[in-house]
């Protein structure tokens, strides 16, 4: 990585304490023209996939003539205000999750969610929330990191299961390994029952996609586990995803979000948009695996991927 001196989290905290973007009085009329700073700071949320996306963004922007640095701030409550204030210029986000987060920040924690399985509706809501804050949401690509459900491969073969609809139609009793919140969340146990008719007998509180949860399904103590579509370790446990064929999950497509006054230019959009033509959910899962299982550095994995796709010289 080349470019600016790395920004420290301590410095970020000091800066965001003093500046948090457009004032409440002015958020309805953010009219500053799109900026094109040649020195851009890219934010990562600190988990493998976010680190990889930040590296992909940085390397594409470097090739387009920008100088970049990457800062890791795991807490959205910190990096989103920093994005508004221009201390961070670009972050990889997830459309539905970020839309609901901004909606709660704008309208209160009890506000009705605006993220949905409909990508167009979700993006419309997200942009309406982001624009008054001085943020521009660039177009999503094909890659999506949604909640997903996996079963043991042998279990799927035995009962001829490929989709969650198949599981519902089977009448099988299912003990689900997931987080505590799954009991109440509409995308989890209640949604599986309502949308698919799956007989969820209990939620085993082992967390989302944890090793413990996957081992419980592998051993047959549980029949299904809540994980994500880019989980890179399912093969290690002999697990397979069941397709969300009735679209229970929200449209958490990967989207770049930029500070309009510093990185809202056509040049930034064009550089990052090149990734949309190639990056898939399967690609993200494969890159996650290289980092998590093969212990490769995110920067090296990102560079190899971009070169293989003809996006980096």
């Amino acid at each position: 990585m080349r470019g600016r001196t790395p920004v420290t989290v301590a410095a970020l905290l000091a800066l965001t304490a003093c500046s948090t973007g457009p004032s409440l009085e002015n958020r309805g009329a953010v009219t500053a023209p799109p900026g094109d700073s040649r020195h851009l700071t890219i934010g990562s949320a600190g988990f493998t996939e976010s680190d990889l996306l930040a590296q992909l963004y940085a390397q594409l922007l470097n090739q387009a003539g920008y100088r970049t640095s990457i800062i890791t701030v795991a807490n959205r409550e910190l990096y989103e205000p920093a994005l508004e204030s221009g201390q961070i210029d670009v972050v990889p986000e997830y459309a539905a999750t970020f839309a609901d987060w901004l909606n709660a920040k704008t309208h209160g924690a009890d506000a009705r969610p605006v993220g949905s399985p409909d990508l167009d509706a979700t993006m419309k809501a997200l942009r309406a929330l982001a624009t008054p804050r001085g943020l521009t949401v660039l177009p999503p690509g094909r890659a999506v990191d949604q909640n997903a459900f996996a079963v043991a491969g042998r279990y799927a073969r035995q009962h001829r299961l490929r989709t969650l609809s198949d599981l519902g139609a089977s009448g099988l009793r299912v003990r689900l390994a997931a987080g505590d919140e799954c009991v109440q969340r509409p995308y989890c146990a209640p949604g599986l029952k309502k949308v698919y008719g799956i007989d969820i007998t209990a939620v085993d509180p082992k967390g989302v996609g944890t090793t413990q949860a996957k081992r419980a399904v592998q051993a047959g103590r549980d029949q299904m586990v809540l994980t994500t579509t880019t989980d890179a370790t399912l093969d290690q446990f002999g697990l397979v995803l069941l397709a969300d064929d009735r679209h229970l999950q929200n449209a958490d497509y990967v989207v770049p979000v930029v500070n309009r006054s510093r990185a809202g230019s056509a040049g930034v959009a064009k550089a990052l948009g090149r990734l949309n033509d190639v990056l898939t959910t399967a690609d993200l899962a494969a890159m996650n695996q290289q980092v998590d299982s093969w212990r490769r550095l995110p920067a090296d994995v990102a560079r190899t991927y971009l070169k293989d796709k003809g996006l980096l010289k």
Side-chain angles (χ1 to χ4, degrees):
M1 182 177 65
R2 58 190 174 87
R4 302 166 68 182
T5 303
V7 183
T8 67
V9 174
L12 178 67
L13 287 169
L15 288 164
T16 54
C18 301
S19 178
T20 56
S23 68
L24 288 172
E25 294 80 6
N26 296 328
R27 278 180 179 160
V30 178
T31 57
D36 193 27
S37 172
R38 309 311 291 179
H39 296 177
L40 298 175
T41 299
I42 300 166
S44 166
F47 57 94
T48 296
E49 188 169 293
S50 190
D51 289 344
L52 281 164
L53 288 165
Q55 287 289 345
L56 290 167
Y57 291 1
Q59 292 179 33
L60 286 170
L61 289 167
N62 285 343
Q63 180 164 267
Y66 296 88
R67 294 171 59 198
T68 64
S69 60
I70 295 176
I71 180 173
T72 298
V73 185
N75 191 323
R76 189 179 274 116
E77 284 76 8
L78 290 177
Y79 74 66
E80 190 278 331
L83 183 62
E84 288 188 32
S85 68
Q87 304 308 318
I88 293 176
D89 303 308
V90 184
V91 295
E93 264 293 357
Y94 300 92
T97 295
F98 196 46
D100 284 339
W101 193 88
L102 285 180
N103 190 48
K105 182 177 180 179
T106 303
H107 300 295
D110 295 331
R112 184 176 180 178
V114 295
S116 75
D118 185 326
L119 177 59
D120 290 340
T122 297
M123 289 296 297
K124 182 178 180 180
L126 173 55
R127 285 175 168 144
L129 290 159
T131 298
R133 294 180 175 275
L135 306 180
T136 296
V137 183
L138 299 181
R142 292 182 286 163
V144 57
D145 188 350
Q146 296 170 307
N147 294 304
F149 297 91
V151 299
R154 63 180 182 280
Y155 181 83
R157 291 189 295 272
Q158 178 184 356
H159 299 289
R160 299 181 179 181
L161 306 176
R162 292 186 178 181
T163 68
L164 290 170
S165 289
D166 292 340
L167 182 56
S170 73
L172 292 165
R173 292 166 60 84
V174 175
R175 180 176 163 94
L176 174 62
D180 292 336
E181 68 280 1
C182 180
V183 175
Q184 298 179 328
R185 293 287 173 86
Y187 66 81
C188 205
L192 291 172
K193 293 177 181 179
K194 180 179 179 180
V195 175
Y196 289 106
I198 298 173
D199 184 6
I200 304 294
T201 61
V203 172
D204 187 5
K206 286 184 165 58
V208 179
T210 63
T211 297
Q212 184 185 22
K214 291 171 189 172
R215 284 177 176 165
V217 176
Q218 182 184 37
R221 296 189 295 275
D222 296 335
Q223 286 71 52
M224 189 161 66
V225 58
L226 170 62
T227 182
T228 66
T229 52
T230 59
D231 190 325
T233 65
L234 294 177
D235 287 347
Q236 298 175 23
F237 299 91
L239 307 182
V240 294
L241 291 179
L242 295 182
D244 179 22
D245 54 309
R246 295 183 185 172
H247 307 293
L248 171 62
Q249 303 305 321
N250 283 346
D252 262 329
Y253 284 73
V254 175
V255 290
V257 182
V258 304
N259 177 287
R260 176 181 171 86
S261 65
R262 287 185 51 81
S265 69
V268 170
K270 182 179 179 180
L272 298 181
R274 298 179 68 202
L275 197 58
N276 288 354
D277 295 333
V278 298
L279 185 65
T280 66
T281 304
D283 290 343
L284 270 182
M287 286 190 282
N288 286 340
Q289 183 179 38
Q290 291 179 56
V291 175
D292 290 337
S293 299
W294 305 354
R295 302 304 180 191
R296 294 188 62 196
L297 294 174
D300 294 338
V301 174
R303 185 177 302 107
T304 298
Y305 177 80
L306 292 174
K307 287 183 176 180
D308 288 346
K309 296 296 182 179
L311 299 182
L312 201 66
K313 296 178 181 177

